[in-house]
Amino acid sequence: MTNSNQQWKKTALSVVLTASLLGTASIPPAMAASAAPEAAAAADASQAASGVQASGTIAGTPQLQSYALTDKLQVEIKSLLNETTSEGTRIAAVVRVRSLDAKVAKIPDLELRVKTADGYEYPMQASVFNAHAIRPGTTEELNFLVKVDRRDPSELTELVWYAVDWYSYPKKETVQLAVPVKGQEWTGPLSSFTNSASSVLPWERSFTLSPALESPLVYTPVSVNRDNTPQGPVTTVKMRVENPSATKEAVPDFTLDGKSNGNGRTDKTVFPGKRVEASPLVLEPKEQRYIHFAIPTDKDTVLTSFNVLTPETFRQLDPKGQPSQVSYSVGRYQVAVPVTSSSTEYNAAKPYEPGQPFVFDSLSDTIDPHLSVSMVEFHRHENEGEGYQTVIAKLLLTNNSDLPVPVPTFQTKLITAQGMTYSGNRQAGAIAEIMPQTSYAVSYAFNMPTENQDEQYVLKFTDAKTAAPASTTIGAYRVTMQESKLDLQNMSFYPFKVKLNDWTLNARYNVPSALSPNTPISYTYRMKLDMDITRNEHVVVDPNSSKMQLELVDKTGRILSTKSLPFSGVNRLISGVQFIQFDTLRTEEHEYPLDINIYEVITTPTGEAKRLVGVLKQ
């Protein structure tokens, strides 16, 4: 019998002993896998064909097979790296050791070697932090690494533990355990997964990282957003994590790598990502929450998939005797990013029922659950001479609780049917909190080309804080532009309604005094307004709320003077008769007839946006 046959016989015998000790299976896993690999592949194919791998089921990392290192210790191959770079090849292994002993057991002093398909065998260095003993019923992870000065990739076939007698001559080597590892290695960011039936997942397919990380948490990809930030393009992946267990569970450390097919400007296809939530995350039993991964990309990059990777660390001593570490990642899944068109987001949004509260993502904490958000106005505002128009969405925030609620810091975007996206600018100087049982109107301004005259848009609400500088969607609705009518009996400056009863405009002459006989005659205009103003008493207003602006215009359309009139403060507009003085004129002549344009004006971070609500003609 050859040495190879003896080795496999010993391996099979050790697995049989393991199965008899554990009593978990009638056929040892290693023997089943080695005796019938075709059956395993056929089972995977059968599952895929029967729809077991469809969205809605939960995927798990490939089951780790146990092997008997001794009669009391079991080993599993948790991670295996075989990465070839321009500097050589790095081979690393993480081995999980389980104790079946009733007392502290010593981990045998064995030499681990890795075999390659082309016949080479490399001894692996043990991490200086590897345990030398293991407590009863517990698990320890042992890390091993070897750097090989070769740049031609070669597949790994076995991990072999040797008992070496260094005191005999020649030294005596005995195989303690040989584990087949073909197809289990991760070859780096550009790797493809060998077991595509279980490791390549469709979008929104739930998965766990168990048994590789021994964690019960379930992860589900929810959405992908691409933003142009000051630091460059960033793709944000939002993932829902759920704890189905009856105990608290911490979210383990794992990352995402985005992958693309490249573009004309660059051949780069892999983009490392990073989890946004840096602090430790602990989920209560049955709790759900979101985690976010930010993936910086190049310009014009479209990600087609992302890899889920778990980190590993190998520690060694440097020449000065100080510990140093080598960090690397091992891929667990590849998740396909859904293919979308420019109109996908627009078509997926639900129509908004005017006056009804928006419904937001229940797992997002951006908006207090006691705060309802509805739309009260959605109008176009003109910007003469600026080359663009402004669309204003006026949202009503209502505090339904018995305590003050902070004004949420959500952001908004408008999306057209053609997929064009316009960011909203929140009105300047909004209040900090909303009192109980009251409301506050906050306006968002969207600057867009004047030729855009769409009647419907998608209003998207985003959380710009949790995954900053990128944003994540918390809700999206299709909204319809309100019809604008010039009705002097019903002018809206939400939360105010204005009815014009009567008005007059008279010129007043400023005659030069005797002390300044050469001063030319100047004119001012005095306007008498008789109005009825009503307001929603439960809506709080402040100096940043809507204002009325009057423009004095001559017959050629030239603006002679403007007057801004607030609805709050000391000099606010009131019901009844009042007088408005236009005393800063852009003319030295008496003009007649004149028009007065009445605008609603809202101050935004990019300037004032105004909407024509009425015209008065002499």
Side-chain angles (χ1 to χ4, degrees):
M1 182 178 293
T2 64
N3 183 54
S4 176
N5 290 335
Q6 291 175 353
Q7 175 179 312
W8 277 107
K9 184 175 180 180
K10 184 171 183 177
T11 302
L13 179 61
S14 67
V15 177
V16 171
L17 291 173
T18 300
S20 64
L21 287 170
L22 297 176
T24 57
S26 59
I27 301 177
M31 292 182 66
S34 60
E38 296 84 358
D44 289 339
S46 175
Q47 288 180 345
S50 63
V52 176
Q53 301 295 331
S55 179
T57 60
I58 299 177
T61 57
Q63 185 67 39
L64 305 183
Q65 296 187 14
S66 296
Y67 302 86
L69 185 63
T70 68
D71 59 345
K72 297 295 185 181
L73 298 180
Q74 301 285 315
V75 295
E76 301 169 347
I77 309 304
K78 175 195 172 188
S79 302
L80 192 62
L81 177 73
N82 180 21
E83 184 178 13
T84 300
T85 67
S86 58
E87 299 178 354
T89 299
R90 181 171 60 175
I91 303 174
V94 179
V95 178
R96 186 177 289 158
V97 182
R98 298 184 185 275
S99 173
L100 304 178
D101 208 340
K103 58 184 179 180
V104 175
K106 182 180 183 298
I107 297 176
D109 186 13
L110 303 173
E111 182 176 286
L112 179 63
R113 301 176 190 173
V114 59
K115 288 187 176 182
T116 63
D118 52 7
Y120 290 97
E121 184 177 271
Y122 301 104
M124 303 191 74
Q125 179 185 353
S127 170
V128 294
F129 286 89
N130 280 358
H132 298 284
I134 183 169
R135 289 173 293 182
T138 61
T139 302
E140 291 284 351
E141 289 187 0
L142 309 182
N143 291 265
F144 301 88
L145 178 74
V146 60
K147 294 182 179 179
V148 182
D149 187 16
R150 61 180 292 180
R151 293 172 178 80
D152 53 321
S154 180
E155 186 180 17
L156 307 183
T157 57
E158 282 185 302
L159 288 179
V160 185
W161 280 262
Y162 286 90
V164 181
D165 184 357
W166 298 98
Y167 299 101
S168 62
Y169 184 82
K171 69 177 180 179
K172 184 178 178 182
E173 297 180 347
T174 305
V175 174
Q176 181 78 10
L177 175 64
V179 174
V181 295
K182 185 177 181 180
Q184 299 181 32
E185 60 193 319
W186 176 253
T187 59
L190 296 176
S191 296
S192 58
F193 288 83
T194 304
N195 189 356
S196 60
S198 61
S199 298
V200 179
L201 309 180
W203 182 253
E204 292 187 334
R205 170 75 180 278
S206 299
F207 63 87
T208 70
L209 294 172
S210 177
L213 297 188
E214 297 186 312
S215 171
L217 298 181
V218 178
Y219 307 89
T220 306
V222 174
S223 65
V224 176
N225 284 311
R226 188 173 184 273
D227 295 275
N228 288 318
T229 72
Q231 292 75 33
V234 174
T235 297
T236 305
V237 178
K238 181 165 72 174
M239 195 173 291
R240 184 175 63 249
V241 54
E242 178 182 2
N243 179 13
S245 71
T247 60
K248 291 183 179 181
E249 293 289 341
V251 177
D253 189 16
F254 69 97
T255 59
L256 301 185
D257 273 357
K259 299 186 70 174
S260 76
N261 295 328
N263 55 52
R265 297 183 181 179
T266 177
D267 294 330
K268 188 176 181 181
T269 58
V270 178
F271 301 88
K274 183 179 180 181
R275 195 174 80 186
V276 174
E277 293 81 5
S279 60
L281 301 177
V282 178
L283 272 69
E284 298 289 338
K286 312 305 178 183
E287 182 185 359
Q288 297 184 49
R289 65 168 299 168
Y290 288 127
I291 55 176
H292 304 82
F293 295 86
I295 307 175
T297 64
D298 292 337
K299 293 180 179 179
D300 301 327
T301 297
V302 177
L303 298 182
T304 57
S305 64
F306 62 83
N307 292 337
V308 180
L309 307 106
T310 56
E312 303 289 359
T313 302
F314 175 84
R315 294 178 175 86
Q316 59 188 352
L317 297 179
D318 62 18
K320 295 183 180 180
Q322 299 298 317
S324 62
Q325 68 179 36
V326 177
S327 299
Y328 61 93
S329 296
V330 175
R332 302 298 178 181
Y333 297 104
Q334 183 179 90
V335 180
V337 174
V339 178
T340 60
S341 65
S342 58
S343 60
T344 300
E345 202 166 9
Y346 180 90
N347 294 331
K350 297 180 179 179
Y352 173 65
E353 293 292 335
Q356 296 299 312
F358 293 101
V359 178
F360 300 105
D361 193 325
S362 60
L363 295 184
S364 172
D365 56 3
T366 304
I367 299 176
D368 190 284
H370 297 101
L371 194 70
S372 63
V373 181
S374 59
M375 177 182 285
V376 290
E377 286 188 1
F378 189 51
H379 292 291
R380 281 192 178 89
H381 292 234
E382 62 184 67
N383 301 289
E384 292 181 1
E386 299 295 337
Y388 64 91
Q389 64 178 336
T390 301
V391 172
I392 296 289
K394 195 173 291 186
L395 305 177
L396 186 66
L397 313 180
T398 302
N399 180 5
N400 300 302
S401 72
D402 297 328
L403 297 172
V405 172
V407 175
T409 56
F410 61 84
Q411 298 297 326
T412 56
K413 296 182 180 180
L414 277 187
I415 303 173
T416 69
Q418 297 75 32
M420 309 297 284
T421 301
Y422 302 95
S423 296
N425 291 304
R426 186 172 170 170
Q427 74 180 46
I431 62 175
E433 62 181 17
I434 305 173
M435 295 180 294
Q437 304 303 315
T438 61
S439 302
Y440 179 69
V442 60
S443 298
Y444 285 82
F446 306 86
N447 295 333
M448 61 180 62
T450 54
E451 57 268 20
N452 188 310
Q453 296 296 317
D454 290 359
E455 290 301 318
Q456 282 195 334
Y457 298 87
V458 166
L459 177 62
K460 182 166 76 170
F461 297 86
T462 62
D463 173 9
K465 183 178 180 181
T466 302
S471 62
T472 58
T473 303
I474 59 175
Y477 285 86
R478 196 180 308 169
V479 293
T480 302
M481 192 70 63
Q482 288 180 321
E483 184 180 0
S484 295
K485 293 182 179 180
L486 302 184
D487 185 359
L488 296 174
Q489 302 299 305
N490 191 24
M491 293 182 288
S492 176
F493 301 82
Y494 193 88
F496 297 92
K497 291 286 188 181
V498 177
K499 176 185 177 184
L500 183 61
N501 299 318
D502 192 18
W503 69 281
T504 59
L505 181 66
N506 297 309
R508 304 183 69 181
Y509 302 91
N510 296 322
V511 180
S513 66
L515 297 177
S516 303
N518 297 324
T519 302
I521 297 175
S522 61
Y523 302 90
T524 60
Y525 291 89
R526 188 169 186 255
M527 184 178 185
K528 177 183 176 182
L529 281 176
D530 182 5
M531 298 182 297
D532 290 333
I533 300 176
T534 58
R535 60 164 292 184
N536 187 328
E537 293 295 336
H538 296 286
V539 178
V540 177
V541 295
D542 61 16
N544 301 295
S545 301
S546 296
K547 298 179 179 66
M548 178 188 290
Q549 180 173 291
L550 304 179
E551 285 186 356
L552 199 61
V553 183
D554 67 12
K555 57 186 178 181
T556 66
R558 183 176 53 151
I559 299 175
L560 303 182
S561 182
T562 61
K563 201 72 173 181
S564 183
L565 307 171
F567 288 92
S568 63
V570 177
N571 298 316
R572 66 182 182 274
L573 287 169
I574 59 174
S575 293
V577 177
Q578 53 210 300
F579 295 91
I580 310 298
Q581 189 85 7
F582 295 97
D583 50 13
T584 303
L585 302 179
R586 298 182 180 92
T587 181
E588 295 180 354
E589 299 180 359
H590 177 232
E591 303 283 348
Y592 185 89
L594 294 175
D595 293 343
I596 299 176
N597 294 332
I598 305 175
Y599 290 96
E600 178 192 19
V601 174
I602 297 173
T603 302
T604 72
T606 58
E608 288 188 341
K610 60 183 184 180
R611 176 175 64 94
L612 185 66
V613 296
V615 177
L616 307 178
K617 293 181 177 292
Q618 280 188 321

